[in-house]
Amino acid sequence: MPAALPTSPPAIPTAPLTAEMRQALRAIVGEKGFIEDAHGKQPFVTDWRGLLVGSAGAVVRPGSTEEIAKVVRLCHEHGIAIVPQGGNTGLMGGATPWPAHTGIVLSLGRMNRVLDVDPVGYSMTVEAGCVLQTLQETASEHDRFLPLSLGAQGSCMIGGNLSTNAGGVQVLRYGNARNLVLGLEVVLPNGEIWDGLRALKKDNTGYDLKHLFMGAEGTLGIITKAVLKLWPAPKDVCTAWLAVRDPRAALEILSEAHAASEDNVGSCELLSRAAIDLALRHIPGTQDPLKADTPWYLLLEWSSARPRRDGTEGMSGKMEQFLADQLEAGRVLDATIAQTFGQSRNMWRIREAMAEASRAEGPGISFDVSVAISKIPEFIDKGLKAVRDILPTIRPYPLGHIGDGNLHFSFMGPKGMDQQTLNQYAAAITRAVNDLVTSMGGSISAEHGIGIDKLDELSHYRSKTELDIMRTIKRALDPHNIMNPGKVLRL
Ligand SMILES: Cc1cc2nc3c(=O)[nH]c(=O)nc-3n(C[C@H](O)[C@H](O)[C@H](O)COP(=O)(O)OP(=O)(O)OC[C@H]3O[C@@H](n4cnc5c(N)ncnc54)[C@H](O)[C@@H]3O)c2cc1C
């Protein structure tokens, strides 16, 4: 749900897709790679939330890097704008063309081959259109682990994950998407192919170019292939659901969990009771793992690559002892440990389905923010007060990746209020939340990026120096502004 959308659309190139261009594009990608009827284009010009609808002259679906390079070269020559798209699950509108867009959406969906798995070298080389879950499964078949994990993993694609520098529920241990990458191949806005597809852990040969493209949301080029890092597959996993005293207790629990688990904390997710209830209301098959007299819960998972051996306590033994200690310390009020895979899945389903549940509930407003981990309780207190001062009947359901200092500071509109009415408060609420985040040294976008939604917010909060550096890079790589124009930067 957008906080406050840009007040006016940015200027973007609007060179039309002529009959000759259509013919030329069709010749490159073939009939099955070219969609120009309104019905076929619809899913590619509408965002996952159903809130933004753009337009496009055509959707082009190339099947190889060479085809992408030819398409981009042609667009470069004719000033045609390109919106790269993966699974179209982004939550900031980055993959949705602006309504004035006359160029193409370039979908990576046909670039879905795993090119190499190197279990000994702990890496795999993949095309950008591979669905994240397929890659997790491929790694697992080789007894390896690809840690990137998020609620949209059944449909988001690795190129989109890298372009948004996605976070998810394993960042605490393994880092954001950019930390999982050894090498990239990218088609630049002039159609040139940059081959940085190296599987090197060490490579200090000048600027590390791959990091330019990760998190750039398709504004600097099209990621076509990647070499991803892999880890040993987890063999002993323990998932627990804790009712906790308050967010400060949650942080103290996490802080002590590192040593108690012998450095095996995989995930630590904070959920408010309101967030849990939202998921239980809308996601069929979910069950409440634990009801306690507290508004705060923690999903804590420990995992080790070492299988549990008979006679040893393993992860669950360590977790049991830890929870007993935390109960005694008064931080945990009650807790349950998943005894079966199904129970663990239920806990994860509640957490991962939050975006789906809030979409089903109705109009809302959400902020993906981060502050230093120890400042989370203060941010929650001050943030809730600031928002309620503007709209007292708003319904908060905060949750987040607490170990990353990342909160999804989310609100459903007051009962019965439609999106249009809620939008009248959105600008004031956005200013209040983002001013607070900034005053606390935090970030207005922790993991979802900027896209369309935060275009104006980025230029409001990043310094002139930072914006100038970003514009200089953009203009150097994409002087005609054809690559995902009007996203991230207005220019
Ligand atoms: C249910 C749900 C849960 C989610 N949970 C999380 C979460 O926990 N953490 C998180 O970070 N995000 C989360 N998201 C947001 C989203 O899934 C991520 O941003 C994801 O990384 C987007 O991948 P995608 O393939 O769908 O990209 P898209 O939405 O298609 O594109 C996203 C951006 O990347 C660009 N892009 C796509 N592919 C390429 C490419 N090959 N080269 C260059 N640019 C490209 C697009 O132009 C766009 O700007 C969630 C979304 C949903 C719907």
Side-chain angles (χ1 to χ4, degrees):
M1 274 137 261
L5 286 173
T7 40
S8 62
I12 59 169
T14 51
L17 213 52
T18 59
E20 291 77 19
M21 271 295 289
R22 288 171 193 273
Q23 195 49 40
L25 289 169
R26 211 184 250 111
I28 297 169
V29 297
E31 212 51 56
K32 63 173 182 274
F34 195 78
I35 304 170
E36 58 181 339
D37 66 289
H39 181 70
K41 286 189 294 187
Q42 187 62 21
F44 297 91
V45 298
T46 310
D47 87 318
W48 183 87
R49 304 162 297 178
L51 291 173
L52 302 174
V53 182
S55 61
V59 175
V60 179
R61 305 181 73 231
S64 68
T65 301
E66 291 65 34
E67 284 184 13
I68 293 183
K70 283 183 191 164
V71 167
V72 175
R73 208 170 303 132
L74 197 66
C75 290
H76 173 72
E77 281 161 13
H78 293 83
I80 302 286
I82 302 169
V83 177
Q85 192 175 96
N88 197 15
T89 67
L91 297 174
M92 292 292 118
T96 312
W98 282 97
H101 181 70
T102 49
I104 62 169
V105 169
L106 191 145
S107 164
L108 276 293
R110 285 178 62 216
M111 296 269 300
N112 58 3
R113 283 161 295 219
V114 175
L115 302 174
D116 182 48
V117 182
D118 178 1
V120 175
Y122 282 81
S123 70
M124 73 178 165
T125 307
V126 304
E127 289 187 330
C130 290
V131 170
L132 175 58
Q133 192 170 322
T134 311
L135 296 182
Q136 294 166 345
E137 288 163 4
T138 306
S140 166
E141 283 159 20
H142 290 81
D143 198 24
R144 296 292 176 261
F145 182 55
L146 175 65
L148 187 61
S149 172
L150 45 128
Q153 63 198 25
S155 49
C156 64
M157 297 174 189
I158 193 71
N161 300 143
L162 303 183
S163 299
T164 54
N165 184 27
V169 296
Q170 300 272 353
V171 173
L172 178 56
R173 192 172 188 173
Y174 301 96
N176 281 19
R178 69 165 74 243
N179 297 308
L180 315 179
V181 174
L182 293 172
L184 283 186
E185 178 190 80
V186 177
V187 172
L188 302 174
N190 64 1
E192 216 176 296
I193 300 170
W194 171 57
D195 181 1
L197 208 58
R198 297 182 276 266
L200 301 178
K201 287 221 170 194
K202 289 188 159 184
D203 181 13
N204 277 352
T205 50
Y207 304 142
D208 196 339
L209 298 179
K210 62 179 180 287
H211 286 294
L212 264 185
F213 301 99
M214 292 187 278
E217 301 181 49
T219 58
L220 299 179
I222 299 174
I223 296 176
T224 45
K225 292 182 189 134
V227 185
L228 304 173
K229 295 181 202 167
L230 300 176
W231 276 260
K235 296 284 163 49
D236 182 8
V237 180
C238 179
T239 317
W241 190 268
L242 289 56
V244 298
R245 193 189 62 218
D246 54 26
R248 187 162 305 285
L251 283 180
E252 290 163 2
I253 291 165
L254 172 60
S255 160
E256 300 216 344
H258 293 297
S261 67
E262 296 176 1
D263 250 338
N264 284 308
V265 178
S267 300
C268 184
E269 298 289 309
L270 182 73
L271 296 114
S272 58
R273 183 72 234 175
I276 298 165
D277 288 341
L278 195 68
L280 296 175
R281 232 181 354 263
H282 293 288
I283 308 301
T286 48
Q287 281 162 3
D288 195 355
L290 183 70
K291 192 149 190 133
D293 188 18
T294 175
W296 295 104
Y297 293 76
L298 208 54
L299 199 181
L300 183 61
E301 187 166 275
W302 296 357
S303 63
S304 165
R306 187 193 298 184
R308 182 180 172 179
R309 287 191 301 273
D310 288 347
T312 62
E313 59 175 0
M315 285 296 112
S316 57
K318 286 190 177 61
M319 179 76 88
E320 264 172 42
Q321 183 55 54
F322 176 70
L323 294 180
D325 294 345
Q326 295 301 315
L327 265 161
E328 204 172 304
R331 297 182 187 115
V332 170
L333 308 180
D334 200 355
T336 177
I337 294 178
Q339 301 299 327
T340 63
F341 179 71
Q343 286 176 357
S344 161
R345 267 317 307 153
N346 174 56
M347 293 173 183
W348 276 113
R349 183 78 185 119
I350 292 171
R351 170 61 192 87
E352 286 167 351
M354 215 51 75
E356 259 170 273
S358 53
R359 185 173 68 167
E361 175 87 357
I365 180 167
S366 183
F367 301 89
D368 162 44
V369 298
S370 65
V371 290
I373 295 174
S374 52
K375 291 186 178 169
I376 283 185
E378 181 190 344
F379 174 79
I380 293 176
D381 287 346
K382 289 184 172 168
L384 288 178
K385 179 174 178 332
V387 174
R388 284 185 172 130
D389 280 351
I390 296 167
L391 187 54
T393 49
I394 201 160
R395 295 175 292 152
Y397 64 101
L399 67 145
H401 314 293
I402 191 172
D404 315 330
N406 178 191
L407 270 186
H408 296 313
F409 201 51
S410 305
F411 302 83
M412 298 313 308
K415 278 222 150 51
M417 184 180 278
D418 61 23
Q419 186 77 55
Q420 222 179 346
T421 315
L422 183 60
N423 286 349
Q424 291 168 12
Y425 297 91
I429 292 175
T430 301
R431 190 55 64 239
V433 171
N434 287 344
D435 278 357
L436 177 63
V437 168
T438 307
S439 74
M440 293 178 71
S443 168
I444 60 158
S445 180
E447 61 173 7
H448 291 162
I450 301 299
I452 285 178
D453 287 27
K454 291 189 179 169
L455 196 58
D456 288 346
E457 293 302 293
L458 185 85
S459 58
H460 186 84
Y461 288 104
R462 294 302 287 268
S463 70
K464 179 176 179 313
T465 308
E466 288 169 322
L467 292 166
D468 282 348
I469 295 171
M470 289 190 218
R471 287 190 194 106
T472 304
I473 294 170
K474 169 74 175 166
R475 287 180 183 136
L477 283 174
D478 184 17
H480 303 321
N481 191 24
I482 60 163
M483 202 50 84
N484 215 1
K487 311 291 174 62
V488 183
L489 292 170
R490 262 181 194 277
L491 285 188

